[in-house]
Amino acid sequence: MGDGSKGNLFLRYTVMMTSVFILMGIVIVPFTTGDEQFFVIFALTIAYIILLVLMYHLFENYVKPIRASINVTNELVKGNYNVRTYVKPAGEAQQLSELINQLARNLQEMYIQEKMQGSQWKTVINNMESGLMLIDERGYVHLVNRKFLQLFGENSLHYIGYLYYDVLAHKSIHRVVQETFLYEEKMTGAITLSIENQKHHIEVVGAPVINDVKELKGAVLVFHDITDLKRVEQMRKDFVANVSHELKTPITSIRGFSETLLDGAMEDEKLCKQFLDIILKESSRLQALVQDLLELSKLEKEELQLSKKMIHIDEWITNITTLIEQQANNKSISFKVNLEKGISFYGDPDRLQQVVLNLLYNGINYTAEGGEISLQISSDKDAVRIKVADTGIGIPEDSIHRIFERFYRVDRARSRNTGGTGLGLAIVKHIVEAHKGKIEVESEVNKGTTFTVILPKEW
Ligand SMILES: Nc1ncnc2c1ncn2[C@@H]1O[C@H](COP(=O)(O)OP(=O)(O)O)[C@@H](O)[C@H]1O
Ligand SMILES: [Mg+2]
């Protein structure tokens, strides 16, 4: 483009100059004669050539570079920082061209840096785990991040440029914004949102945006999803309530029967023995409960200290079988053991005994007289499988996923009659997971239940 118009301009000036010289020739030459005439024509021709060369020089060294510089500057103004002008190796305009190119390079660098910084901020803001909204001092929304949109739905166009109270319906958010503006301090509130049919608890924090000269410029709202925290808090509350409830029953009973005894029932020997039996049974329940609770709290400590040893199954199992055989006999339940010989693996022998005993006791407790329980241990290259099966009452399908919860029982009364605390399987699960293993349940109501503990050999 520059070259074309330069070419034109140069041509125009050449034509103009040539015309002037021809005119001068036409006017002057008729007034001369002979040698004089030859001299005039010669002088005019020389002058013409010198002027032409001079003009060409001016064009090349001044007009052309200046025009190129103008073009480049024009592009820079438009925001195209990739352009560079041609630098002639010599001539007065060389410096100008070089400076303009330097300027273009600096601008380009600044632009790239700014773009990178901008995109870094964008990345940070959009990948924050909390929702974010920026409001100016008049209440108009300037920015929302990705998490915010996940929480509140819609896209950013729905919010940006609108007044916050027109796009957010929650009164507590309005209150947080108003108080943040009023007191110019951090303010908090809470809302609940329904996201994909699930209730989410959101904490709203408003912080004022204050500039260098201490003027309020707006507010930043941050939205934290605290649903999980709430759940943990609720679980703790439930646990305390459950523990109190579990403790209350035997204590009430012990107290009631002792009072009755003191009120005179003591005199009747038969009644006295009956009541003392109950008191003994209830205090055993209390003891079992406290023991299980202590055990659980030990297991839940940050780093559970397992005392790992090489376990040789054949020795390790004898303790378990003697205990269980006796219990099973008492209830006329047959007990079968099926062991693969010579299995050994690494683990905490006492705790794993606790696991197997708990599962077998459950088998006895939830199987009617005449039933059968079995223990099967096998091993392959990577893992040991301990299978405890019974032919008992089974677990309804909708309860299976809950039986490892603390205090969960399918049938509260039955569990209590067997002396269960509702904590056995919670303890089992903890121990298995501390060994990096897993536990699986298969059950059919009135047919029986099978628990399988899978323990990795290497860990
Ligand atoms: N082998 C089983 N057969 C049927 N139900 C079982 C069996 N093992 C556990 N359960 C159910 O799981 C619940 C929780 O078990 P657990 O934590 O050991 O507590 P509990 O003290 O009641 O035995 C029991 O109350 C029972 O309803
Ligand atoms: Mg149990």
Side-chain angles (χ1 to χ4, degrees):
M1 160 195 127
D3 270 9
S5 64
K6 182 221 72 162
N8 276 342
L9 198 68
F10 184 65
L11 204 72
R12 274 216 310 275
Y13 283 139
T14 313
V15 169
M16 249 162 63
M17 201 178 73
T18 313
S19 320
V20 169
F21 271 90
I22 290 172
L23 210 71
M24 268 162 58
I26 291 170
V27 173
I28 297 170
V29 171
F31 292 102
T32 54
T33 50
D35 276 357
E36 217 180 48
Q37 194 173 45
F38 168 76
F39 182 74
V40 165
I41 290 173
F42 179 75
L44 276 176
T45 312
I46 294 292
Y48 176 73
I49 290 168
I50 289 172
L51 269 174
L52 205 63
V53 169
L54 209 69
M55 211 168 77
Y56 181 76
H57 177 81
L58 270 174
F59 251 95
E60 272 304 302
N61 290 312
Y62 294 95
V63 179
K64 194 175 154 187
I66 286 173
R67 298 198 127 220
S69 301
I70 289 173
N71 285 331
V72 167
T73 319
N74 243 326
E75 287 297 304
L76 291 179
V77 169
K78 281 188 215 151
N80 174 12
Y81 303 125
N82 296 323
V83 288
R84 299 286 181 274
T85 178
Y86 164 72
V87 182
K88 247 178 105 79
E92 272 73 3
Q94 179 195 5
Q95 213 184 348
L96 176 68
S97 309
E98 271 172 358
L99 283 174
I100 283 179
N101 281 349
Q102 184 65 45
L103 184 68
R105 263 194 297 276
N106 290 349
L107 279 171
Q108 190 173 30
E109 219 164 90
M110 266 160 61
Y111 174 70
I112 288 171
Q113 271 192 358
E114 195 186 329
K115 220 165 80 174
M116 260 166 49
Q117 263 181 8
S119 79
Q120 275 170 1
W121 274 114
K122 234 184 183 155
T123 313
V124 170
I125 286 171
N126 270 330
N127 288 293
M128 273 171 64
E129 257 312 295
S130 304
L132 193 96
M133 180 181 248
L134 181 67
I135 302 172
D136 69 14
E137 73 272 30
R138 292 170 306 152
Y140 285 95
V141 178
H142 280 244
L143 183 144
V144 291
N145 73 347
R146 194 182 301 156
K147 183 72 187 184
F148 175 91
L149 296 175
Q150 273 170 18
L151 293 174
F152 288 87
E154 307 283 352
N155 59 24
S156 55
L157 294 177
H158 180 83
Y159 301 98
I160 293 173
Y162 293 94
L163 284 163
Y164 74 89
Y165 47 79
D166 285 340
V167 286
L168 291 174
H170 300 83
K171 289 274 178 285
S172 23
I173 300 181
H174 301 177
R175 186 189 51 78
V176 169
V177 178
Q178 282 154 13
E179 288 182 354
T180 306
F181 279 141
L182 190 64
Y183 302 115
E184 300 193 4
E185 264 175 32
K186 197 179 99 182
M187 291 292 157
T188 57
I191 56 169
T192 55
L193 294 175
S194 167
I195 303 166
E196 287 166 359
N197 288 328
Q198 277 189 330
K199 204 167 137 188
H200 282 248
H201 295 271
I202 310 289
E203 185 194 34
V204 188
V205 182
V209 177
I210 292 166
N211 70 5
D212 297 343
V213 288
K214 303 222 157 39
E215 282 171 339
L216 183 70
K217 279 291 160 198
V220 181
L221 291 184
V222 183
F223 301 85
H224 302 294
D225 191 337
I226 52 166
T227 316
D228 288 343
L229 274 175
K230 282 256 178 196
R231 197 179 299 137
V232 172
E233 196 183 300
Q234 190 57 44
M235 262 167 68
R236 215 189 47 225
K237 281 185 194 161
D238 288 350
F239 181 66
V240 173
N242 275 328
V243 171
S244 322
H245 180 79
E246 295 289 334
L247 292 173
K248 207 174 105 189
T249 328
I251 288 171
T252 314
S253 162
I254 290 169
R255 190 183 162 152
F257 284 106
S258 344
E259 270 172 6
T260 324
L261 280 174
L262 289 172
D263 280 351
M266 219 159 50
E267 314 300 330
D268 182 338
E269 204 178 315
K270 208 178 135 212
L271 214 58
C272 179
K273 189 180 175 307
Q274 197 190 335
F275 285 4
L276 282 173
D277 270 346
I278 297 174
I279 290 174
L280 181 65
K281 203 178 145 206
E282 292 297 311
S283 47
S284 309
R285 269 178 49 69
L286 261 182
Q287 196 184 11
L289 198 67
V290 172
Q291 242 164 25
D292 278 358
L293 280 171
L294 282 175
E295 186 64 30
L296 252 188
S297 87
K298 236 193 282 171
L299 289 171
E300 283 185 344
K301 284 223 179 88
E302 274 304 308
E303 303 151 46
L304 168 63
Q305 288 294 322
L306 291 173
S307 57
K308 289 170 274 179
K309 290 193 189 97
M310 199 40 125
I311 301 173
H312 301 285
I313 288 280
D314 309 80
E315 280 168 48
W316 176 75
I317 206 76
T318 42
N319 267 339
I320 298 173
T321 45
T322 18
L323 275 170
I324 295 299
E325 256 157 19
Q326 198 190 346
Q327 294 261 341
N329 254 335
N330 289 347
K331 214 180 158 185
S332 316
I333 289 173
S334 70
F335 175 41
K336 284 194 182 142
V337 182
N338 183 351
L339 284 191
E340 212 180 278
K341 284 270 170 233
I343 297 176
S344 53
F345 66 100
Y346 210 51
D348 186 327
D350 294 342
R351 289 236 143 86
L352 289 173
Q353 248 177 29
Q354 218 179 335
V355 166
V356 179
L357 279 174
N358 258 316
L359 293 176
L360 287 167
Y361 280 138
N362 276 351
I364 295 173
N365 285 339
Y366 302 106
T367 301
E369 289 190 7
E372 185 187 299
I373 59 170
S374 69
L375 170 65
Q376 190 193 332
I377 305 182
S378 60
S379 128
D380 59 27
K381 195 163 87 326
D382 310 309
V384 176
R385 290 168 169 269
I386 304 172
K387 219 176 210 179
V388 175
D390 63 51
T391 58
I393 58 167
I395 305 163
E397 210 183 316
D398 54 349
S399 295
I400 282 192
H401 70 284
R402 298 200 57 189
I403 56 172
F404 295 101
E405 284 174 24
R406 296 181 283 196
F407 296 117
Y408 181 82
R409 290 117 156 178
V410 177
D411 181 342
R412 209 158 263 272
R414 184 194 278 265
S415 159
R416 215 168 261 146
N417 281 339
T418 63
T421 58
L423 296 172
L425 287 180
I427 291 173
V428 163
K429 194 170 186 215
H430 261 294
I431 297 175
V432 171
E433 283 175 356
H435 281 81
K436 305 244 185 311
K438 57 181 179 176
I439 181 160
E440 290 167 358
V441 200
E442 266 173 80
S443 187
E444 205 174 320
V445 175
N446 294 327
K447 285 263 170 64
T449 308
T450 307
F451 284 91
T452 311
V453 175
I454 303 159
L455 299 169
K457 280 185 167 174
E458 299 283 335
W459 48 282

